């Protein structure tokens, strides 16, 4: 049997560790793995190369993805997917492991329905917005990266008694904002999942300073409906005379070495993905829930029934006093 592995969508720390685990698990089972360059874009062009245990040495601790990644609009068309299937057929590849987020999973789901290849997904996105796993690869690293900056900002904010707005990534997902806010001692967290009430944020900021605190932090997910941290900051501070600063953390959150947790989960899920393919699985994502490896149908992973962060938002509000 021959299998292929690719990474797709936004890169996430831990992707390399997952590829390494998959290649080595396949090697141990006597299965040949092919790496696909640049995700779906490379698959359409047939950019496949054989990988073995040695070709994935020295990658476990590296962020990014050595295979490269891309967001491919051509793969969203059936013609693009037909070209990809032709290359997989020519290389006699029966199974594909794809590491990425919901866009990646939608892509491989369609691919498997239209051709002869079986597909399994490994959740890799700093957004943590997939059902069927407690955490996606890269989320833990990204939160810790954001926290490192937030802790530094706290030092300068406390010295000046200043209000800070920190923007974190998350176009459609508030998980990164929420965890960074909870762990960073924020007074408010604004997420795309719920509408932003500027009046409420202003009241919270005023209460924070009135309670004698010298540090007031508002975390804003980039996809917040009020338009990101700069726009929110201007509206919240309007007419208050409060001294404030804004920091947008941006893509620093996507890079850097994966944390222990991301390396371990990547190793577990990369190995499990290959085992699933060898057992004949198709159109499932491998995830970890409460320490157990679970398989979830791909189409369930992006429907997000169990992913609303409302409870944690309420906890944040209770602790911010
Ligand atoms: O991968 C997820 C993510 O980081 C989102 O949080 C963000 O909105 C998006 O990717 C940005 O992606 P890019 O800059 O690569 O287009």
């Amino acid at each position: 049997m021959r299998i292929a592995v690719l990474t797709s969508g936004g890169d996430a720390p831990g992707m390399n560790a997952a590829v390494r685990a998959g290649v080595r698990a396949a090697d141990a089972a006597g299965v040949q793995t092919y790496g696909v360059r640049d995700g779906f874009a490379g698959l359409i062009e047939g950019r496949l190369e054989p990988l073995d245990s040695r070709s994935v040495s020295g990658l476990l601790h590296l962020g990014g993805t050595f295979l490269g990644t891309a967001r491919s609009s051509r793969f969203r068309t059936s013609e693009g997917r037909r070209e990809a299937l032709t290359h997989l057929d020519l290389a006699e590849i029966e199974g594909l492991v794809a590491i990425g987020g919901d866009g990646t999973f939608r892509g491989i789901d369609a691919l498997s329905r239209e051709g002869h290849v079986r597909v399994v997904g490994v959740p890799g996105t700093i957004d943590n917005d997939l059902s069927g796993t407690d955490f996606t690869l890269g989320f833990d690293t990204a939160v810790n990266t954001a926290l490192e900056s937030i802790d530094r900002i706290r030092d300068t904010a406390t010295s000046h008694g200043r209000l800070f707005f920190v923007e974190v990534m998350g176009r459609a997902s508030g998980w990164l904002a929420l965890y960074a806010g909870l762990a960073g001692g924020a007074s408010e967290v604004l997420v795309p999942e719920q509408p932003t009430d500027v009046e409420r944020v202003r009241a919270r900021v005023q209460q924070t300073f009135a309670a004698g605190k010298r540090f007031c932090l508002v975390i804003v997910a980039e996809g917040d409906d009020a338009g990101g941290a700069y726009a929110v900051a201007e509206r919240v501070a309007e007419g208050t005379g409060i001294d404030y600063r804004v920091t947008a953390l941006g893509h620093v959150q996507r890079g850097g070495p994966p944390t222990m947790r991301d390396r371990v989960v990547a190793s577990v899920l990369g190995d499990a993905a290959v085992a699933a393919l060898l057992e004949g699985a198709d159109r499932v994502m491998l995830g970890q829930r409460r320490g157990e490896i679970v398989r979830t149908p791909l189409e369930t992973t992006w429907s997000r029934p169990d992913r609303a962060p409302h409870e944690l938002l309420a906890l944040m509000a209770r602790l911010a006093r």
Side-chain angles (χ1 to χ4, degrees):
M1 185 185 180
R2 291 172 165 192
I3 64 170
V5 58
L6 61 77
T7 52
S8 167
D11 62 299
M15 281 183 161
N16 282 327
V19 174
R20 168 186 177 270
V23 169
R24 291 190 174 176
D27 220 4
V31 170
Q32 173 67 55
T33 309
Y34 287 78
V36 182
R37 292 280 166 192
D38 297 332
F40 292 144
L43 193 55
I44 290 172
E45 292 162 8
R47 286 193 278 131
L48 297 145
E49 61 192 59
L51 296 175
D52 61 22
S53 292
R54 282 294 66 71
S55 41
V56 291
S57 283
L59 294 171
L60 180 62
H61 63 300
L62 297 181
T65 159
F66 82 102
L67 286 174
T69 186
R71 298 189 199 274
S72 167
S73 52
R74 269 186 76 207
F75 200 79
R76 286 190 211 112
T77 67
S78 52
E79 287 140 85
R81 291 194 293 272
R82 235 190 339 266
E83 284 180 46
L85 283 167
T86 305
H87 290 296
L88 289 169
D89 283 348
L90 278 174
E92 295 176 13
I93 286 165
E94 292 168 51
L96 174 67
V97 176
I99 306 161
D102 62 330
T104 305
F105 294 168
R106 283 174 211 265
I108 57 168
D109 190 75
L111 192 74
S112 150
R113 288 176 195 278
E114 292 164 10
H116 303 300
V117 66
R118 283 184 293 109
V119 298
V120 299
V122 172
T125 163
I126 65 164
D127 286 346
N128 200 38
D129 57 348
L130 293 166
S131 292
T133 191
D134 289 339
F135 295 105
T136 58
L137 300 184
F139 176 67
D140 188 61
T141 306
V143 173
N144 279 296
T145 303
L147 263 183
E148 208 179 296
S149 299
I150 288 166
D151 290 347
R152 287 165 197 266
I153 285 170
R154 188 186 190 115
D155 291 344
T156 171
T158 307
S159 305
H160 287 262
R162 250 176 199 161
L163 163 63
F164 261 85
F165 294 83
V166 175
E167 184 177 293
V168 297
M169 280 187 136
R171 199 178 289 147
S173 162
W175 286 96
L176 190 43
L178 185 56
Y179 270 65
L182 256 175
S187 293
E188 269 289 341
V189 174
L190 310 181
V191 296
E193 287 87 345
Q194 68 180 34
T196 288
D197 176 349
V198 171
E199 292 299 326
R200 201 201 65 215
V201 180
R202 187 180 296 132
R204 171 81 71 188
V205 166
Q206 285 169 331
Q207 276 162 24
T208 301
F209 286 118
K213 292 174 90 165
R214 288 181 60 81
F215 170 63
C216 184
L217 171 68
V218 178
I219 301 280
V220 186
E222 64 174 324
D224 170 70
D225 68 345
Y230 285 94
V232 172
E234 213 169 289
R235 287 173 59 195
V236 169
E238 203 175 358
T240 63
I242 294 175
D243 189 20
Y244 74 90
R245 296 290 186 273
V246 183
T247 301
L249 297 180
H251 289 74
V252 294
Q253 296 160 96
R254 281 241 296 258
T259 56
M260 174 279 286
R261 182 202 277 266
D262 278 332
R263 294 181 205 195
V264 170
V265 178
S267 302
V268 168
L269 297 185
D271 176 75
V274 169
L277 270 185
L278 297 184
E279 282 166 24
D282 190 17
R283 295 203 290 271
V284 290
M285 181 193 81
L286 278 298
Q288 226 184 18
R289 304 198 70 164
R290 299 188 185 95
E292 299 282 317
I293 298 173
V294 292
R295 296 179 191 180
T296 303
L298 286 175
E299 60 201 0
T300 307
T301 63
W302 62 74
S303 54
R304 303 174 195 175
D306 55 342
R307 307 296 290 167
H310 292 111
E311 275 174 31
L312 287 180
L313 277 171
L315 170 65
M316 239 245 15
R318 281 202 301 282
L319 300 184
R321 47 189 306 115

